[in-house]
Every structure is written in structure tokens, then in C-alpha cells.
Amino acid sequence: MPADDVRPTWSLADIPYAAIEKEKIIDNMDWFYLLAGASFVETLSDLYTRNLVNYYRENVSATAWLRQEWELEEVQHGHALRQYVLTVWPGFDWERAYQGFVEAYVPYCRTELLGPTHALEMASRCVVETGTASFYTMIQAASPEAVLRQLAARIRADEIHHYKYFYRFFLQYQAREKNSRWRIGRELWKRVAEADQEDSYLALKNAFEVKNPGQQFSPEDFSAFRRRMGNWIRHHYPFDMAIKMLLKPIALPPMLQKAVLPLLARSARRAIIH
């Protein structure tokens, strides 16, 4: 591994769960649903890894990194968030809700649904890592509780590191495939448009229905939840950072990127908030 990629690692033992100030967050159920849902999505990373390893099976360095670092760190994120949720809301049947999420989501997570080429799928993975890095940046900034801010900062750092690896693999494949900027941009837009369509909805649905026996979670409930997130997004979402990360695989000329960045950031802000 190159020297500039060596970084300190962490474990759940580094998170001071006993110091959580529960009174600052326990009554805000939107935080519960957000964190429980995120814990499900992160924990399922072993399935995502199997799909990617199968797709990139000829690339020894990529598959080794996926198995030995990416999967382990992503699953750790899920376990760390699970521990936070169960520390603040100890009565929640996390395992039952997680199993419901897995059963519902597995049909949407298949190798044949990955990108049309190896380079374009790596570009799509950059979109996913952009989304998670931005998500945890927002959580770190919006959190009313200090231990959650610390946990979000650690996960955010991992996600940015993962983005750099996927981008490196993208460059290797792109050097051979030579996809046009138009084709790369189209694939990136497709992945952005697909974000949250299945995993976030199903994660929140299972968290809600286990937390509230006998009640059903509908697409309208999901839309209402996203509207409530608008205030956090408006004040804490790192739009400029996200747009820069999204644009990187397209490799726009520096002057053009500088010109379009503010426009795209404003457009993204309006699209997400409204």
C-alpha cells in the first residue's frame, strides 16, 4: 500500500459509548430512524462485496482490497452504528428489523445489476462513496450529541478513503476502455438518480415497523421523513464537496469545472431540499 494511504484504524473500543448523553437525542425519533437505517445498510456490505468481487474477479488487487479492507470497514460502520442505536434505544429489536431489511433488499442487490463496464461501475462506486461521505459529514455537523459526532467523523474519514481507492481503480480501467465524458457523466447521473430508491426506504420501513408494531410505513411516510431532513440538509450538507467528488471521474478541464461548480451546487441544493 502506498505510504500516503497508510492511516490509523479504529475499532468499536475507541468509541466511548458509555459517555453518550442520551437526553440530547433520545426523544428525536428521526435520529433513531436515520441511524438504525444506516446501520442496516452498512452491515449488509458483505453482500455488496460478494457482488463486486464476482464482477472484478480477474483483478487480484481490487478483489483483495474489497475483501480485506472495504468490506471489513463497512461492516464495522454498521456494527458501530448498531451499538450506538442500542445504547440510546435499548428496547429496539435490531436483529429482527435487520433481517426484515435483508429479505426485502436482496432482490435489488445482484451482480447483473452492476455497471455496463468495469470502469463505469467503478465510477458508480465513486458516486456511492460520495453519498456516504457527504451523509456522515452532515451527521457530524447536525448531531446534537458529542459521541455521535465522533463516530460520524471516523466513518466519514473511512468513506473518503474508500472513494480514493475506487477512483484509482476507475482510472486503471478507464485507461483501457476510454469512455467518453458524456458516457461517464450519463452513468454517474443514473446512479445519482437511483440513490435512496430502495435501500434507504426499506431500511427505514423495517426500523419503523419493528419499532411501532402494527403500524405500516408507506412511501408517503418516507417522503415526509425526507422533507423533515430538509433543515439538516439545508444547513449541514456539504454540497460543494459532493459536487467536486462527483465531477472528478469526468475529468473536466479545470476552468470549466470551476465555472460549473457553483451552478451545479445550487441546482443540487434546490433538488434535494425541495
Side-chain angles (χ1 to χ4, degrees):
M1 180 183 294
D4 62 351
D5 284 324
V6 176
R7 73 200 193 290
T9 57
W10 60 280
S11 72
L12 270 65
D14 298 313
I15 307 300
Y17 291 105
I20 295 173
E21 297 177 272
K22 299 179 185 179
E23 69 280 1
K24 292 187 175 181
I25 196 170
I26 193 169
D27 293 328
N28 189 324
M29 294 310 296
D30 282 339
W31 274 111
F32 164 76
Y33 295 124
L34 189 73
L35 297 174
S39 73
F40 300 160
V41 174
E42 297 278 9
T43 302
L44 196 59
S45 293
D46 56 347
L47 175 60
Y48 311 144
T49 304
R50 287 199 298 273
N51 288 340
L52 288 171
V53 166
N54 183 50
Y55 191 61
Y56 291 101
R57 55 187 175 273
E58 86 297 338
N59 189 326
V60 175
S61 62
T63 56
W65 176 76
L66 287 165
R67 287 195 185 103
Q68 297 168 15
E69 184 170 326
W70 186 71
E71 177 183 0
L72 297 180
E73 292 185 352
E74 293 291 321
V75 171
Q76 177 173 268
H77 298 166
H79 291 171
L81 290 164
R82 175 184 186 272
Q83 185 61 44
Y84 188 93
V85 168
L86 293 180
T87 300
V88 179
W89 297 279
F92 178 58
D93 190 346
W94 187 93
E95 189 61 36
R96 184 160 72 90
Y98 175 66
Q99 289 305 322
F101 166 70
V102 172
E103 291 174 11
Y105 185 62
V106 162
Y108 297 100
C109 192
R110 305 192 306 272
T111 302
E112 58 266 28
L113 297 178
L114 297 179
T117 76
H118 288 94
L120 293 176
E121 177 56 31
M122 283 298 181
S124 293
R125 302 316 305 176
C126 289
V127 172
V128 174
E129 298 299 334
T130 295
T132 52
S134 301
F135 174 74
Y136 290 107
T137 299
M138 183 185 74
I139 287 182
Q140 181 185 0
S143 170
E145 199 282 313
V147 175
L148 179 57
R149 288 196 293 273
Q150 180 184 142
L151 174 56
R154 289 183 181 274
I155 297 177
R156 173 190 183 274
D158 285 346
E159 302 292 5
I160 290 175
H161 180 74
H162 298 164
Y163 173 96
K164 293 177 181 178
Y165 259 86
F166 282 120
Y167 179 69
R168 185 179 306 162
F169 290 129
F170 161 76
L171 291 178
Q172 292 172 6
Y173 282 109
Q174 174 63 6
R176 298 198 294 268
E177 295 180 17
K178 302 188 185 307
N179 295 287
S180 68
R181 289 192 177 107
W182 170 256
R183 192 178 188 199
I184 296 169
R186 185 175 59 186
E187 193 66 23
L188 296 180
W189 175 251
K190 176 184 174 184
R191 189 57 62 97
V192 168
E194 291 173 349
D196 292 337
Q197 285 187 359
E198 289 97 16
D199 55 355
S200 294
Y201 170 71
L202 293 172
L204 289 173
K205 176 180 172 65
N206 282 276
F208 179 90
E209 292 182 356
V210 169
K211 183 69 173 175
N212 303 279
Q215 297 186 43
Q216 292 188 335
F217 186 82
S218 68
E220 292 73 22
D221 293 323
F222 183 57
S223 296
F225 175 84
R226 288 175 65 89
R227 286 195 296 272
R228 292 196 300 275
M229 295 299 99
N231 187 55
W232 297 357
I233 293 170
R234 184 178 297 108
H235 291 99
H236 303 296
Y237 195 85
F239 287 97
D240 287 351
M241 180 191 86
I243 295 299
K244 287 178 182 178
M245 292 172 73
L246 285 174
L247 289 177
K248 196 168 183 180
I250 304 176
L252 292 175
M255 291 300 293
L256 179 57
Q257 177 160 321
K258 184 177 180 180
V260 301
L261 181 61
L263 176 61
L264 291 176
R266 286 196 299 271
S267 298
R269 184 183 297 271
R270 286 196 298 270
I272 294 176
I273 291 174
H274 297 294

